[in-house]
Amino acid sequence: EKAVNLKKDLAEMQEWMTQAEEEYLEKDFEYKSPEELENAVEEMKRAKEDVLQKEVRVKILKDNIKMLATKVPSGGQDLMTELNVVLENYQLLCNRIRGKCHTLEEVWSCWIELLQYLDLETAWLNTLEERVQMTENLPDKLDAVNDALESLESVLRHPADNRTQIRELGQTLIDGGILDDIISEKLEAFNARYEELSHLAVSRQISLEHQLQTMRETDHMLQVLQENLAELDRQLTSYLTDRVDAFQMPQEAQ
């Protein structure tokens, strides 16, 4: 009777494992939204806990069959053979569910990381857009143009590492068929805005550099002219002080 009960327990255990495999491992999942992906991660976590909780039952079943095989070798041999199959299948099921759970957690982590990098780069694009707007309608002063140029250049020195991460993370998820529509849409919008703003910013930078160069040249010319006028004023003052007749002066002084 004990052997019959143990055999029944083995059959039930095998049936449960078959159902678990069908439910958690053979079902096709399509992760088209973050909610679907998150739900799948939580489901696999529960599946892993559920499978691992059966470890106690498997151990008790194993101990009982071994004890029966020791007491009644003839009656326990068949059960030992069945037990070994169940143990092998159970271990395989545990490994596969652990693996799938780990994979889904990695995918979810990849998605969250992508969102974080997109947030960082979007904040940078917002700053870049503000700095570009600040270069409009500048007062015609050298200091104002120089400050605007330096401010714009400081933002443009932003490293490209985050954009590289966005591209790689997005491509990894898309290649796996994970949230591909949503990610493609997000990346397309981000890349379009990045291209537009970066080109506008570089164009404005070049324009400010030319404007600054022209203003510096003009400022230099005015400085030279002012120095020449000051020298002429000094000469004229000395002529007047010495009461020199105008017709005795050099032509340029006249």
Side-chain angles (χ1 to χ4, degrees):
E1 184 181 352
K2 188 170 185 180
V4 171
N5 290 335
L6 290 173
K7 188 176 183 67
K8 181 181 177 182
D9 290 341
L10 283 172
E12 290 176 353
M13 187 66 190
Q14 183 60 57
E15 183 181 357
W16 174 84
M17 288 190 294
T18 302
Q19 291 175 350
E21 186 172 352
E22 291 174 355
E23 183 177 356
Y24 300 126
L25 299 175
E26 295 181 0
K27 186 165 60 176
D28 291 330
F29 291 96
E30 287 190 3
Y31 311 115
K32 295 300 181 183
S33 72
E35 292 76 19
E36 289 179 359
L37 177 58
E38 187 174 18
N39 289 338
V41 172
E42 294 304 318
E43 183 178 357
M44 285 309 300
K45 285 181 179 178
R46 290 192 296 270
K48 185 172 73 171
E49 293 174 1
D50 191 20
V51 170
L52 293 179
Q53 284 176 358
K54 290 292 189 293
E55 187 174 5
V56 175
R57 181 181 174 186
V58 171
K59 187 178 185 306
I60 293 173
L61 194 58
K62 178 181 175 182
D63 292 342
N64 289 337
I65 291 175
K66 282 187 174 182
M67 186 178 298
L68 179 65
T70 302
K71 294 180 178 178
V72 188
S74 58
Q77 192 59 44
D78 291 341
L79 286 176
M80 284 299 299
T81 302
E82 291 184 34
L83 172 66
N84 290 334
V85 173
V86 169
L87 291 176
E88 184 177 345
N89 290 341
Y90 175 74
Q91 192 59 51
L92 180 61
L93 179 65
C94 288
N95 292 340
R96 291 181 65 191
I97 286 183
R98 278 198 197 98
K100 186 166 185 177
C101 186
H102 176 72
T103 299
L104 283 177
E105 287 177 330
E106 287 291 311
V107 168
W108 179 254
S109 175
C110 189
W111 163 248
I112 295 300
E113 193 174 1
L114 173 61
L115 291 181
Q116 290 171 343
Y117 278 116
L118 279 172
D119 286 344
L120 287 173
E121 287 305 284
T122 298
W124 173 74
L125 285 177
N126 292 341
T127 301
L128 180 61
E129 187 173 25
E130 290 173 2
R131 297 297 170 85
V132 170
Q133 290 173 350
M134 287 170 60
T135 64
E136 299 173 357
N137 303 319
L138 288 172
D140 193 22
K141 295 181 179 180
L142 192 146
D143 287 346
V145 174
N146 186 61
D147 290 345
L149 178 59
E150 289 182 352
S151 178
L152 182 60
E153 287 177 335
S154 68
V155 180
L156 284 172
R157 285 193 288 269
H158 183 69
D161 297 353
N162 289 350
R163 293 195 300 279
T164 300
Q165 289 293 328
I166 288 172
R167 184 175 63 254
E168 292 179 353
L169 288 167
Q171 195 59 52
T172 297
L173 290 168
I174 291 173
D175 289 345
I178 310 296
L179 308 178
D180 44 356
D181 291 340
I182 292 177
I183 292 172
S184 295
E185 184 179 338
K186 283 182 175 290
L187 293 187
E188 184 178 346
F190 169 77
N191 289 330
R193 188 179 181 216
Y194 170 77
E195 292 297 326
E196 179 184 1
L197 276 177
S198 59
H199 287 161
L200 178 60
V202 170
S203 175
R204 192 62 56 83
Q205 178 189 21
I206 294 172
S207 175
L208 288 174
E209 288 173 345
H210 289 165
Q211 183 180 358
L212 190 62
Q213 180 65 25
T214 300
M215 294 180 74
R216 283 173 174 166
E217 291 173 355
T218 302
D219 190 62
H220 178 68
M221 290 172 60
L222 289 173
Q223 185 177 356
V224 171
L225 179 60
Q226 188 175 19
E227 290 173 354
N228 289 338
L229 288 173
E231 176 61 22
L232 179 59
D233 182 66
R234 187 188 63 77
Q235 290 178 359
L236 290 174
T237 300
S238 71
Y239 292 154
L240 290 173
T241 302
D242 295 340
R243 297 180 179 277
V244 176
D245 187 87
F247 291 104
Q248 296 176 338
M249 295 181 186
Q251 186 66 34
E252 67 274 13
Q254 294 183 32

